[in-house]
Amino acid sequence: MGTMPDASSPHTGDRSEASGPDGTQPPGRSGTSSPRTLAEALRAGGEEGLAALLRARPDLLTPVPTDLTQLATRAATRASVVRALERLDRFTLQTAEALAVAPDPAPYDTLLALLGGDDGDPAVAAALPDAVAVLRRQALAWGGDDRLRLVRTARELLAPSPARPSPTGLGPTVAEAASGMSPGRLQEILAATGLPATHDPVSAVAALTELFTDRTRMARLLDTAPSEALAVLDRLVWGPPYGEVTADPAPPVRWLRDRGLLLPASPRTVVLPREAALHLRAGRACRTPEPAPPAVRARAEHRPQVVDSTAAGQAYTALSTVEELLKEWHEGGPAVLRAGGLSVRDLKRTAAALDVTEPLAAFWLELAYGAGLLASDGEPDERYAPTPAYDEWLELPAADRWARLAASWLAATRTPGLVGTQDAKGRTLAALGPDLDRSAAPEVRRRVLGLLAALPAGAAPDPETVLARLRWERPLRGGGPQSPTAAQPQDPQRPAAVPPPADLRSRLASWTLQEAELLGFTGRGALATHARVLLGLPPTPDATTGLPGGSVPAAGPDSASTTHAPGAAWSGAPTPAPPAPVAADPGTLLKLAADALAPLLPEPLDHVLLQADLTAVAPGPLQRPLAETLSVLADVESKGGATVYRFTPGSVRRALDAGKSASDLHAFLAAHSRTPVPQPLSYLIDDVARRHGHLRIGAAGAYVRCDDDALLGEILADRRSAGLRLRRLAPTVLAAQADPAALLEALRSMGYAPAAESAEGDVLITRAHARRTPPRTPPAPVPDGPPVPDDALLTSAVRAIRAGDLAATVVRKPAPAPERPARPAELPRTTSAETLATVQAAALTGSAVWIGYVNADGAASQRVVAPVRVEGGFVTAYDHTADEVRTFALHRITGVAELADDAT
């Protein structure tokens, strides 16, 4: 590879150093001319490149910068640079890290050598141009291939320093590490390495640096090292490069320190210089360059028809579960905690009612809440209840109901997988409570489903390969080993290795795979056809390529040929590109997905099978009116492919209390049973109906009346009625010191079948009271940063920035000698007569002038305008700054100056 250039040269870039788009020449083969500053790079990039920058980094657009200098300054701010680095894929980030440890500025060939090593790497050489183009396009690097630079903030975040190693594991350069050493100590190091003495520390450091970057001489030096010393270097070479030493270090460490291979970083800490580490690494800045994303492998393959049928079954189960959940809360759900959310006890009760685990119960609750079907009622005694939207949702066909749930899940930022975990303050996160929003959730869901869509139809992925792919695409957000970390000094004899913690992005991906199966997006792990349609993808992948819609691998994520999954925003090396959406309108996608799912869903049945053991078997899903009536008349005994209902005296009495008569129940069963009504069931209904309402209970304290005085005497004699404190008021009336509801329940528990009556003596019909919240809107997703601007906004913003830059950089004619020329930051100053004469002359000649203008709010600005008409105290002119025709009041123009003849 030859000698490496000195990496210790100071950074001399402009304060607004960011690269404009440079897509006209391929990286590695561009010309030698380079912009001096970021603003110049942006200015040379053209409108298409400027639009690409704003599309990739939309945070730079709010508010719209006045000119390119302000845009460049904003692009180099720490918050914006950190956000941009978080969105880089692993290889592009490795490229930025290598550029941070390279000389500043660095030639392209030096960067290639740092990533490919002394022996070179064809894969790295092929992927590096795209990675450099991404850095330039996103204004993280700028300059030609002979002088590549990182923006200053990115270099500060990624470059090694005496106090912090690079994410590459490299330490400071020899010059940086030796900056505080005494001249005598430097001469001792030169003598130990066999170098001639020098007259000053600067030349001593230069000689040591030259030795460490010379592969041949460095190899000879290391050949004389003890094996224990080489073992110490092996433990430090890939980082962290710092180690703790004692006042009397071991002989191997002393040998390395005497020859400058370990330089002091503090009284008890030594560091391996960057140049020496690069020699030991064979020139590589990164231990394992990853120019290509890891492939997502299929774990199993199924017939697409099986996948679709399985997913449709899961979709129908999801609808049934949500309906059952909200039916449980039909008359009002649990109370809302003071801090918000559902208590642990109520979550357990809900899980028991649904016969699922608590995490699954939390998922169904959050799904209903996110779809706007469930909310708090807002009353003083706040409780959860279904919303009016739930009743509207119930009236939709099953496929449309699923599409609504699926669309809300895709866009939701609430993360039910966090329920039961603790936040940063140690508080447990509750279902339906606050602090469950994670802005990255929608993007991760769509990206995971997009990776599934890139597999052949019916292929279920290996989850570990999906997680590995996501970690490659966003290593900084994933918290992987590429994240910048502080130095952790270690004993050079015993290095420590700390595994990276599980990151939120990987957990979101794991939850996505589980929730997609629960919702019916996937069947047996493979993406279903109706899910592809909802995502805006073709129904089936192309059989020849294994990619949806016959897509071909793209040249790179930021190249012109790359297409992205809807909602996904990622960048990286070549990867299979998901197909273009088949429909962009969300409403159209919902309708298409529902149409694709509808034929796969089971048709609701209008009948049951009555059996002699007082049970009814529903061989499939029932029509809603039949299911609702049957749930009142009988109790659900078991669920599954066929639901078993059991008729009991209590369930029959419940139906009679709801206003049904015995004849109504007989007719209902005869109409909806495919088998004859069993005699035991008919007897049960008649027996309960005969006794139902024989006793009447009304409000006094409460009373019981009955035409059969012997029956009342039986009740009085029953010891179980002692607590009711009954007494006979008349042969057919008993009075009780209890409220009617308690009396009604007590007599039923004694085996009687009383009926409540009104003050007029009529039997009261008890029906379930449907409690609903006031109209509620679903929770709004928390945005993951500024939205990507549309084409119209981008066009307007680029035009305004370009016009403002023209106004700020235009060349003006010098003022006459007696007048002091205005500084660039000042507005032009002329008298009213001079202003009027100059703009009139410009209107006649059609030339442009530079004016200072103060608007009605007192805000001053400078503009380049081309006057068209001057009359009535107003100037009508084409404003180059705003790129439109405007009218200016003459008395608000502070001054005017002509432009130089060669100004553009």
Side-chain angles (χ1 to χ4, degrees):
M1 169 176 137
T3 59
M4 285 285 297
D6 182 15
S8 62
S9 58
H11 184 72
T12 57
D14 188 84
R15 67 180 180 89
S16 57
E17 48 186 67
S19 165
D22 192 349
T24 56
Q25 293 175 325
R29 300 293 179 266
S30 63
T32 57
S33 61
S34 294
R36 295 174 300 172
T37 65
L38 162 63
E40 287 188 8
L42 293 174
R43 198 166 288 123
E47 294 190 359
E48 291 184 0
L50 191 57
L53 169 62
L54 297 177
R55 186 179 291 109
R57 298 175 63 179
D59 56 298
L60 303 179
L61 196 56
T62 306
V64 177
T66 58
D67 54 36
L68 291 175
T69 300
Q70 186 182 92
L71 175 62
T73 303
R74 190 180 298 176
T77 58
R78 184 181 182 88
S80 183
V81 169
V82 168
R83 182 174 179 81
L85 290 175
E86 286 180 345
R87 293 181 173 271
L88 296 179
D89 64 68
R90 178 157 294 168
F91 183 68
T92 307
L93 183 62
Q94 287 178 334
T95 302
E97 292 166 355
L99 196 55
V101 300
D104 185 30
Y108 179 86
D109 291 339
T110 298
L111 178 62
L112 177 60
L114 284 172
L115 288 168
D118 294 346
D119 298 330
D121 188 331
V124 168
L128 185 58
D130 285 338
V132 173
V134 171
L135 295 176
R136 283 172 168 157
R137 192 170 294 115
Q138 296 196 18
L140 294 172
W142 58 285
D145 286 344
D146 57 336
R147 296 178 62 84
L148 282 171
R149 294 180 184 269
L150 276 181
V151 295
R152 178 177 299 176
T153 308
R155 178 171 287 274
E156 292 172 355
L157 289 170
L158 300 176
S161 71
R164 184 191 68 249
S166 160
T168 61
L170 292 170
T173 62
V174 172
E176 293 169 343
S179 59
M181 296 180 64
S182 65
R185 176 67 184 132
L186 288 173
Q187 297 303 320
E188 292 175 0
I189 293 176
L190 292 181
T193 55
L195 295 174
T198 63
H199 299 287
D200 58 85
V202 175
S203 57
V205 169
L208 194 60
T209 300
E210 184 179 357
L211 169 65
F212 288 170
T213 54
D214 189 313
R215 293 286 186 264
T216 303
R217 296 165 60 198
M218 186 67 170
R220 286 200 299 265
L221 175 63
L222 292 177
D223 286 342
T224 64
S227 58
E228 295 84 357
L230 295 178
V232 171
L233 293 179
D234 288 342
R235 286 190 284 269
L236 297 178
V237 64
W238 293 108
Y242 293 88
E244 294 181 357
V245 294
T246 62
D248 185 19
V253 175
R254 189 182 304 116
W255 191 94
L256 295 171
R257 193 178 62 176
D258 291 345
R259 288 154 182 79
L261 293 171
L262 292 179
L263 294 175
S266 70
R268 298 194 60 180
T269 307
V270 292
V271 63
L272 177 64
R274 188 187 312 171
E275 293 87 349
L278 285 173
H279 173 84
L280 295 169
R281 296 179 177 194
R284 287 186 182 273
C286 303
R287 187 168 197 165
T288 307
E290 299 183 55
V296 178
R297 297 190 301 271
R299 181 181 59 183
E301 293 189 7
H302 312 280
R303 289 190 300 111
Q305 295 84 350
V306 173
V307 169
D308 291 346
S309 299
T310 305
Q314 288 295 123
Y316 198 88
T317 301
L319 297 178
S320 301
T321 305
V322 172
E323 289 183 36
E324 184 179 358
L325 166 65
L326 297 180
K327 189 183 297 181
E328 286 287 328
W329 294 6
H330 193 64
E331 299 182 51
V336 181
L337 293 175
R338 182 178 301 177
L342 197 66
S343 68
V344 175
R345 181 175 57 184
D346 289 327
L347 179 61
K348 289 182 178 179
R349 289 175 178 171
T350 303
L354 297 178
D355 194 21
V356 297
T357 62
E358 293 173 32
L360 283 184
F363 167 70
W364 296 119
L365 285 168
E366 288 291 342
L367 181 66
Y369 178 63
L373 309 180
L374 174 68
S376 60
D377 56 15
E379 299 293 333
D381 181 20
E382 195 171 18
R383 308 184 77 85
Y384 289 105
T387 64
Y390 170 63
D391 298 311
E392 300 173 3
W393 180 75
L394 282 178
E395 299 301 321
L396 296 173
D400 292 321
R401 283 185 281 135
W402 179 85
R404 294 282 184 89
L405 287 180
S408 66
W409 174 73
L410 278 176
T413 55
R414 293 186 63 83
T415 310
L418 295 174
V419 173
T421 63
Q422 293 185 337
D423 62 9
K425 297 182 179 179
R427 296 173 299 192
T428 301
L429 300 177
L432 304 180
D435 303 325
L436 288 181
D437 286 286
R438 296 296 181 268
S439 58
E443 185 268 333
V444 172
R445 288 193 193 105
R446 287 191 173 271
R447 184 61 192 138
V448 169
L449 296 175
L451 292 175
L452 268 61
L455 296 173
D462 180 355
E464 288 301 322
T465 63
V466 174
L467 299 183
R469 176 61 166 268
L470 291 177
R471 284 192 289 266
W472 184 91
E473 290 178 356
R474 296 286 175 82
L476 285 186
R477 284 201 164 190
Q482 299 294 328
S483 302
T485 55
Q488 298 293 332
Q490 56 173 311
D491 184 348
Q493 308 283 349
R494 223 172 352 163
V498 180
D503 58 280
L504 176 64
R505 188 173 173 84
S506 294
R507 287 188 291 160
L508 287 172
S510 298
W511 293 330
T512 295
L513 293 173
Q514 299 167 12
E515 294 167 2
E517 190 76 14
L518 289 172
L519 261 178
F521 270 79
T522 59
R524 302 190 180 185
L527 195 65
T529 299
H530 50 270
R532 293 178 186 272
V533 175
L534 183 61
L535 292 169
L537 306 177
T540 56
D542 187 286
T544 58
T545 63
L547 300 177
S551 301
V552 294
D558 284 274
S559 63
S561 61
T562 303
T563 56
H564 292 203
W570 58 278
S571 59
T575 182
V582 297
D585 178 62
T588 303
L589 292 177
L590 287 177
K591 185 66 172 64
L592 293 173
D595 292 343
L597 176 62
L600 302 174
L601 295 177
E603 286 291 335
L605 303 177
D606 61 353
H607 64 274
V608 295
L609 305 176
L610 296 178
Q611 302 185 109
D613 60 349
L614 297 181
T615 59
V617 178
L622 300 177
Q623 293 178 352
R624 180 164 291 106
L626 173 58
E628 291 177 351
T629 303
L630 195 59
S631 65
V632 175
L633 179 57
D635 298 324
V636 176
E637 188 170 80
S638 66
K639 301 176 183 177
T643 305
V644 178
Y645 295 85
R646 178 164 294 280
F647 299 95
T648 65
S651 68
V652 174
R653 185 180 63 240
R654 185 170 62 230
L656 295 174
D657 287 343
K660 300 293 184 181
S661 64
S663 59
D664 293 336
L665 299 181
H666 286 303
F668 170 78
L669 294 175
H672 293 287
S673 175
R674 287 291 177 89
T675 59
V677 178
Q679 193 176 54
L681 180 55
S682 298
Y683 285 170
L684 175 64
I685 294 173
D686 291 339
D687 183 55
V688 175
R690 184 170 55 254
R691 295 183 297 115
H692 184 266
H694 198 150
L695 293 177
R696 299 294 185 88
I697 293 178
Y703 66 82
V704 182
R705 71 179 181 89
C706 181
D707 296 336
D708 186 355
D709 57 349
L711 180 57
L712 294 183
E714 179 184 336
I715 294 174
L716 280 172
D718 195 323
R719 286 182 300 178
R720 293 175 295 176
S721 67
L724 299 175
R725 303 176 66 182
L726 296 170
R727 65 188 179 89
R728 191 186 293 270
L729 298 181
T732 59
V733 180
L734 297 179
Q737 296 185 16
D739 62 86
L743 180 57
L744 189 69
E745 184 63 31
L747 291 181
R748 285 177 176 172
S749 66
M750 292 166 60
Y752 299 99
E757 70 177 12
S758 66
E760 292 77 18
D762 300 325
V763 175
L764 291 176
I765 297 174
T766 57
R767 294 188 178 93
H769 175 64
R771 184 173 181 180
R772 294 292 182 266
T773 68
R776 293 282 191 261
T777 57
V782 176
D784 187 21
V788 177
D790 56 25
D791 292 339
L793 177 58
L794 275 178
T795 301
S796 301
V798 169
R799 188 177 300 165
I801 294 171
R802 282 288 184 185
D805 193 61
L806 174 63
T809 59
V810 69
V811 181
R812 298 176 285 275
K813 285 185 177 180
E819 298 182 10
R820 180 178 62 87
R823 295 194 301 270
E826 294 181 343
L827 298 178
R829 300 286 179 178
T830 56
T831 64
S832 300
E834 292 173 335
T835 298
L836 179 60
T838 304
V839 296
Q840 286 177 333
L844 290 174
T845 59
S847 58
V849 294
W850 177 57
I851 67 171
Y853 191 74
V854 180
N855 63 14
D857 297 328
S861 61
Q862 51 183 330
R863 301 170 181 273
V864 175
V865 300
V868 177
R869 185 173 61 254
V870 183
E871 59 183 8
F874 291 92
V875 179
T876 302
Y878 176 76
D879 186 354
H880 288 276
T881 305
D883 198 18
E884 63 182 4
V885 176
R886 289 187 174 181
T887 300
F888 301 91
L890 272 171
H891 69 278
R892 294 189 178 277
I893 298 178
T894 63
V896 61
E898 297 181 5
L899 303 181
D901 295 336
D902 58 349
T904 56

